[in-house]
């Protein structure tokens, strides 16, 4: 008998008393009771609590804010479908101008290697959805967010988020996401509580997380 | 295969590996309690985490509703486990993942070794995983000439110090910052000799130490926090980013997961990803959670394996009173609130799973007669703090009592001659069966007073009762019993019936 059959048989035998399958009481909150402004305020508060840098700017101001954040940065990587207007200022300036970073684009045609990603200073991505109650940003690998590796290896992650994509509670975010897409949920920069159970930021993941929320 | 079992019932097949107390708990606890540094470290850490947990749990108005949902979801999972496993397998496989089944620790270790050998690699990076700790994978791989590098900070500390984990979430909870600094200075070849004991500096040293390993690793090994049956999705919950590194960079990913880790629906994650972070690290959400479903072309490992592990889980499932122990999501809230764990630490339990949940899970998975595991259900005062803290409402005290019963029954079956305990129980049966018997015994109270002597305490009782006086004294008994006193006080004076006294009216 294969291990699979063996184990399934053991389980069936263990359950020979036919335990009842209970109804699931879903009486917890599954929808928001907050206004968009309250959700925004809550998300900013929770992200800052976990030592992320948060900037709230009008949507049209995205390129200017990016340029400001990236001043002095030598190189960045972006996913191939990052909305163009977000990067237009940077791209138009070009690589050789002092003060603006070289922009590497990771695409299905040209996937950056680990070594290349390790050499860039920052990554700029969009986000699929954010949960204000927990201060969580979710990436689902769509073309505006890119492969998981690009938001992992560079030491700084700049994430752009639209207010329309902010929900209050986790169930709302789960309803928006496709389970089978490769996901990364991010709540603040990388951290550890392994030393005397005190949280300290900055271990293996990006040590700086900048969240730019576009209103 | 349906859920209805039609074949011959099989006897429970118990698990093996690092699931045993190798010496009786009282003996191990006695030794650990002698370590003042350990007690100070544990006291500090468990109190820190308790306060954090209470704060973030209090933030949610629907925490109890969430616990109710979590408990029901896990009970439903166990009730239809065969169907869910098959559903998970079909979904995970459809997206390019490969599933292996392992009856026990040995089989799981052999499968993992075979998969690593097939890649030609002799080094692997690991994400913290209880399942691989349980099966002793690192030790097995070492024997096979494969080096496994732990990448979680606490696991790294424990591995560098050639020590054992003492907590399921924070394996190095028994070490303080000064001890960790010393370990790094002693064991890390590339460490800055001026390293301070600041946690941020220690974390940075770990980052430097492991960075090159992550960027060049070809094979990673992980556990899984949840497997979602309706989508075939796996989840790893972590903080540092070492999990993301292992789950994203290598070409081959091998995950070892207990069969009880399933949840029926993707939607169920909305409950568990609220329960788990708040219960474990006392955070609203852990820094990183990774989810993957088989292989994603061009993104992450392209060779993705999952080993589904039994190793005694089906034996636990067969115990109708104990099976809810399998609902455990390994948050560690029960150990952080346990007055016994707080003092003895995790090593005293022997098993990979310490604390209140370990005291039930280990004997359920190995059988009560395995090594010294029958001593574990007694490692509790039955105060119930663990039950209150458990996010999936496992009634740990009830199962502890059930397993104590199992232990007594198994001893009785083994020993033909009546034990001291049997004789004492027989005596108690006689004494309490009749007021006259008890009265007769109580006449001996002044004798106890005599034994206690001038300091009015009894320091040592003989035989089995001596265990009680090992760690406490008994005050001298009074000169008369309550019944004797009552009879004297209520000797009916003329005209008043004894039953009509003031005390009697309260009844």
């Amino acid at each position: 008998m294969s291990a699979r059959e063996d184990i399934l048989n053991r389980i069936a035998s263990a359950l020979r008393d036919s335990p009842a399958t209970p109804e699931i009481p879903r009486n917890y909150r599954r929808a928001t009771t907050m206004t968009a402004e309250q959700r925004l305020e809550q998300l900013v508060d929770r992200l800052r609590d976990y030592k992320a840098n948060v900037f709230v700017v009008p949507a049209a101001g995205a390129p200017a804010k990016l340029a400001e954040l990236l001043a002095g940065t030598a190189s960045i990587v972006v996913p191939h479908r990052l909305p163009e207007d977000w990067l237009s200022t940077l791209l138009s300036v070009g690589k050789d101008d002092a003060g603006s970073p070289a922009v590497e684009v990771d695409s299905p045609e040209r996937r950056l290697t680990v070594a290349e990603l390790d050499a860039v200073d920052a990554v700029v991505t969009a986000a699929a959805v954010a949960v204000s109650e927990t201060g969580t940003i979710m990436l689902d690998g769509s073309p505006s967010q890119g492969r998981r590796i690009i938001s992992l290896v560079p030491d700084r992650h700049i994430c752009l988020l639209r207010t329309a994509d902010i929900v209050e509670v986790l169930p709302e975010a789960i309803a928006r996401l496709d389970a089978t897409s490769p996901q990364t949920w991010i709540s603040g920069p990388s951290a550890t509580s392994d030393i005397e159970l005190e949280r300290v930021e900055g271990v293996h993941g990006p040590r700086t997380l900048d969240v730019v929320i576009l209103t | 295969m349906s859920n209805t079992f039609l074949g011959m019932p099989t006897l429970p097949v118990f698990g093996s590996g690092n699931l045993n107390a190798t010496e009786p708990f009282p003996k191990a606890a006695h030794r650990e309690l002698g370590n003042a540094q350990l007690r100070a470290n544990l006291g500090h850490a468990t109190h820190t985490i308790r306060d954090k947990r209470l704060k973030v749990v209090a933030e949610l108005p629907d925490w109890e509703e969430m616990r109710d949902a979590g408990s029901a979801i896990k009970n439903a999972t166990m009730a239809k486990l065969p169907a869910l496993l098959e559903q998970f397998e079909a979904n995970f496989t459809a997206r390019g993942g490969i599933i292996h089944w392992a009856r026990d620790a040995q089989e799981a270790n052999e499968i993992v070794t075979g998969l690593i050998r097939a890649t030609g690699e002799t080094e692997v990076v690991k994400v913290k995983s209880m399942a691989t700790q349980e099966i002793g994978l690192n030790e097995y791989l070492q024997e096979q000439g494969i080096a496994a590098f732990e990448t979680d900070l606490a696991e790294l500390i424990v591995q560098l110090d050639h020590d054992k984990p003492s907590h399921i979430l924070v394996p190095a909870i028994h070490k303080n910052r000064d001890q960790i600094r010393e370990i790094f200075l002693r064991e890390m070849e590339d460490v800055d000799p001026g390293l301070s004991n600041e946690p941020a500096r220690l974390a940075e040293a770990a980052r430097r130490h492991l960075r090159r390993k992550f960027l060049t690793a070809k094979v990673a090994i992980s556990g899984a926090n949840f497997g979602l049956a309706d989508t075939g999705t796996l989840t790893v919950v972590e903080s540092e980013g070492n999990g993301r590194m292992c789950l994203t960079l290598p070409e081959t990913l091998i995950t070892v997961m207990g069969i009880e880790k399933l949840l029926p629906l993707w939607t169920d994650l909305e409950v568990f990803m609220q329960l788990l972070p708040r219960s474990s690290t006392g955070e609203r959400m852990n820094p990183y959670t990774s989810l993957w479903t088989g292989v994603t072309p061009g993104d992450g490992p392209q060779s993705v394996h999952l080993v589904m592990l039994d190793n005694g889980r089906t034996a636990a499932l067969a115990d109708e009173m104990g099976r809810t122990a399998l609902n455990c999501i390994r948050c560690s809230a029960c150990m952080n609130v346990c007055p016994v764990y707080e003092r003895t630490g995790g090593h005293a339990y022997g098993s990979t799973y310490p604390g209140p949940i370990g005291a039930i899970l280990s004997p359920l998975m190995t059988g009560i007669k395995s090594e010294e595991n029958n001593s574990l259900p007694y490692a509790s005062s039955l105060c119930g703090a663990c039950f209150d803290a458990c996010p999936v409402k496992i009634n740990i005290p009830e199962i502890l009592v059930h397993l104590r019963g199992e232990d007594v029954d198994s001893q009785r079956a083994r020993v033909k001659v009546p034990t001291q305990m049997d004789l004492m129980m027989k005596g108690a049966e006689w004494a309490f069966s009749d007021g006259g018997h008890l009265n007769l015994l109580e006449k001996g109270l002044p004798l106890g007073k005599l034994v206690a002597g001038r300091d009015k305490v009894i320091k040592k009782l003989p035989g089995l009762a001596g265990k009680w006086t090992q760690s406490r004294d008994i005050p001298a008994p009074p000169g008369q019993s309550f019944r004797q006193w009552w009879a004297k006080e209520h000797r009916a004076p003329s005209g008043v019936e004894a039953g009509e006294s003031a005390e009697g009216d309260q009844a």
Side-chain angles (χ1 to χ4, degrees), chain B residues 264-310:
Chain B
L265 304 173
W266 154 245
T267 317
D268 294 331
L269 205 57
E270 72 190 23
V271 175
F272 287 87
M273 282 310 296
Q274 296 196 67
L275 289 173
L276 180 57
R278 288 184 201 252
S279 300
S280 57
T281 48
E283 292 167 307
R284 296 187 187 106
M285 189 64 90
N286 50 292
Y288 298 134
T289 300
S290 295
L291 296 104
W292 73 101
T293 310
V295 176
T296 305
D299 185 349
Q302 297 299 296
S303 171
V304 174
H305 297 267
L306 173 66
V307 181
M308 301 261 228
L309 180 68
D310 177 357

Side-chain angles (χ1 to χ4, degrees), chain B residues 52-64 278-279:
Chain B
K52 280 170 73 178
R53 180 187 157 273
L54 284 176
K55 214 175 119 213
V56 295
V57 164
E59 272 183 14
L60 295 187
D62 52 355
W63 181 252
E64 290 306 318
R278 288 184 201 252
S279 300

Side-chain angles (χ1 to χ4, degrees), chain A residues 50-108:
Chain A
Y50 284 155
K51 307 287 181 344
N53 306 313
V54 188
F55 311 92
V56 181
V57 298
K65 189 72 210 175
L66 274 179
E68 182 195 323
L69 288 173
L70 290 168
T73 304
S75 59
I76 64 167
V77 58
V78 297
H80 68 290
R81 290 276 170 75
L82 191 72
E84 228 167 71
D85 54 328
W86 289 358
L87 273 176
S88 55
T89 319
L90 296 169
L91 289 168
S92 67
V93 175
K95 292 187 181 189
D96 299 328
D97 279 27
S100 42
V103 180
E104 302 264 14
V105 180
D106 186 78
S107 69

Side-chain angles (χ1 to χ4, degrees), chain B residues 202-460:
Chain B
L202 296 169
E204 193 186 338
R207 177 184 169 100
R208 285 199 188 155
H209 179 72
L210 287 172
R211 184 86 182 165
R212 184 92 341 243
K213 280 262 176 292
F214 283 133
L215 300 187
T216 55
K218 296 275 184 280
V219 182
I221 295 172
S222 85
N225 290 90
F226 306 104
L228 310 171
D230 67 337
T231 58
T233 305
L234 289 173
T235 313
V236 161
V237 175
E238 52 128 359
S239 296
E240 297 165 14
N242 64 310
R244 292 177 70 189
M245 289 281 179
C246 292
L247 301 170
T248 312
L249 268 50
E251 293 160 6
T252 302
L253 172 61
I254 306 164
T255 303
V256 182
M257 177 177 83
I259 52 172
E260 85 286 16
K261 290 276 182 173
L262 292 189
L263 299 176
L265 304 173
W266 154 245
T267 317
D268 294 331
L269 205 57
E270 72 190 23
V271 175
F272 287 87
M273 282 310 296
Q274 296 196 67
L275 289 173
L276 180 57
R278 288 184 201 252
S279 300
S280 57
T281 48
E283 292 167 307
R284 296 187 187 106
M285 189 64 90
N286 50 292
Y288 298 134
T289 300
S290 295
L291 296 104
W292 73 101
T293 310
V295 176
T296 305
D299 185 349
Q302 297 299 296
S303 171
V304 174
H305 297 267
L306 173 66
V307 181
M308 301 261 228
L309 180 68
D310 177 357
N311 201 36
R313 285 161 177 78
T314 50
L317 190 66
D319 186 324
E320 289 175 38
M321 286 286 290
R323 66 166 60 121
T324 53
L326 292 175
N327 294 0
C328 173
I329 56 172
R330 312 285 190 264
C331 73
S332 73
C334 63
M335 42 203 86
N336 297 335
V337 299
C338 177
V340 175
Y341 178 91
E342 179 191 336
R343 287 165 178 83
T344 65
H347 289 157
Y349 297 79
S351 165
T352 296
Y353 304 107
I357 187 65
I360 58 174
L361 204 50
S362 309
L364 282 166
M365 288 169 72
T366 63
I368 194 78
K369 291 187 244 178
S370 178
E371 299 204 30
E372 301 295 340
N373 275 2
N374 68 339
S375 68
L376 294 178
Y378 300 93
S380 168
S381 64
L382 302 179
C383 74
C386 49
F387 185 22
D388 288 342
C390 178
V392 289
K393 302 178 91 164
I394 300 170
N395 192 334
I396 297 176
E398 190 179 273
I399 301 176
L400 285 166
V401 172
H402 159 67
L403 290 171
R404 289 180 187 185
E406 289 254 294
D407 173 45
V408 172
D409 287 345
S410 80
Q411 308 273 5
R412 195 178 289 136
R414 199 156 41 194
V415 187
K416 291 275 161 23
V417 187
T419 63
Q420 258 192 67
M421 179 62 94
D422 291 337
L423 294 174
M424 278 167 64
M425 285 299 160
K426 271 271 173 255
E429 190 184 349
W430 177 82
F432 293 117
S433 64
D434 187 298
H437 293 173
L438 197 58
N439 213 5
L440 194 69
L441 276 183
E442 283 165 356
K443 291 214 158 70
L445 281 176
L447 192 69
K449 212 172 169 184
L450 197 70
V451 172
R454 265 192 194 181
D455 52 1
K456 293 185 180 162
V457 286
I458 298 172
K459 292 206 173 74
K460 201 171 186 311

Side-chain angles (χ1 to χ4, degrees), chain B residues 169-224:
Chain B
L169 181 77
V170 196
I173 197 171
H174 56 296
K175 303 273 188 211
N176 65 26
R177 60 187 72 190
D178 297 316
Q179 294 168 308
I180 294 166
R181 174 178 169 270
E182 279 166 33
I183 294 165
F184 281 9
L185 288 174
R186 190 179 72 227
E187 302 286 338
M188 274 184 188
E189 287 162 10
D190 45 356
V191 76
D192 167 15
L195 183 68
S196 78
N197 69 354
E198 271 175 76
R201 295 286 80 75
L202 296 169
E204 193 186 338
R207 177 184 169 100
R208 285 199 188 155
H209 179 72
L210 287 172
R211 184 86 182 165
R212 184 92 341 243
K213 280 262 176 292
F214 283 133
L215 300 187
T216 55
K218 296 275 184 280
V219 182
I221 295 172
S222 85

Side-chain angles (χ1 to χ4, degrees), chain A residues 1-30 45-46 49-50 111 114 117-118 133-136 138-139 141 146-149 151-155 157 169-175 177-207, chain B residues 1 5 9-10 13 44-45 48-49 52 59-62 65-66 69 72-73 75-76 78-79 82 85-86 89 95 101-103 107 151-154 170 173 176-177 180 199 202-203 206-207 210-212 214-215 231 233 239-242 244-245 247-249 259 266-271 273-274 278 283-293 296 298-300 310 314 317-318 320 323:
Chain A
M1 209 188 292
S2 72
R4 180 183 186 278
E5 282 171 66
D6 234 358
I7 292 170
L8 289 173
N9 266 334
R10 288 177 188 178
I11 298 170
S13 174
L15 294 174
R16 61 183 176 275
D17 60 314
S18 306
T21 305
E23 284 293 311
I24 313 301
R26 297 193 191 266
N27 301 322
Y28 51 88
R29 293 166 303 145
R30 302 188 77 188
D45 172 72
R46 301 281 149 103
D49 191 32
Y50 284 155
R111 293 187 181 123
V114 176
L117 286 167
D118 194 31
E133 186 172 73
T134 59
T136 305
M138 288 140 160
L139 308 188
R147 299 185 298 145
R148 285 173 287 171
I149 194 172
S151 51
L152 172 62
V153 175
D155 201 11
H157 183 186
V169 290
L170 184 62
E172 297 174 282
I174 294 277
L177 291 163
D178 170 13
T180 57
S181 61
Q183 290 169 44
T184 308
W185 301 0
I186 299 171
S187 308
S190 116
T192 181
S193 303
D194 279 354
I195 301 167
E196 300 179 12
L197 282 166
E198 281 171 27
R199 179 167 165 136
V200 292
E201 281 74 19
V203 201
H204 306 295
R207 285 181 287 187
Chain B
M1 185 166 153
F5 182 68
T10 50
V13 184
H44 171 69
T48 305
I49 193 73
K52 280 170 73 178
E59 272 183 14
L60 295 187
D62 52 355
E65 285 77 8
M66 211 99 70
I73 291 168
N75 286 337
M78 298 312 153
L85 282 166
E86 288 180 287
E89 182 185 41
R95 300 183 69 95
W101 298 73
R103 297 176 184 89
E107 194 168 12
T151 63
D152 168 76
L153 178 52
V170 196
I173 197 171
N176 65 26
R177 60 187 72 190
I180 294 166
L202 296 169
R207 177 184 169 100
L210 287 172
R211 184 86 182 165
R212 184 92 341 243
F214 283 133
L215 300 187
T231 58
T233 305
S239 296
E240 297 165 14
N242 64 310
R244 292 177 70 189
M245 289 281 179
L247 301 170
T248 312
L249 268 50
I259 52 172
W266 154 245
T267 317
D268 294 331
L269 205 57
E270 72 190 23
V271 175
M273 282 310 296
Q274 296 196 67
R278 288 184 201 252
E283 292 167 307
R284 296 187 187 106
M285 189 64 90
N286 50 292
Y288 298 134
T289 300
S290 295
L291 296 104
W292 73 101
T293 310
T296 305
D299 185 349
D310 177 357
T314 50
L317 190 66
E320 289 175 38
R323 66 166 60 121

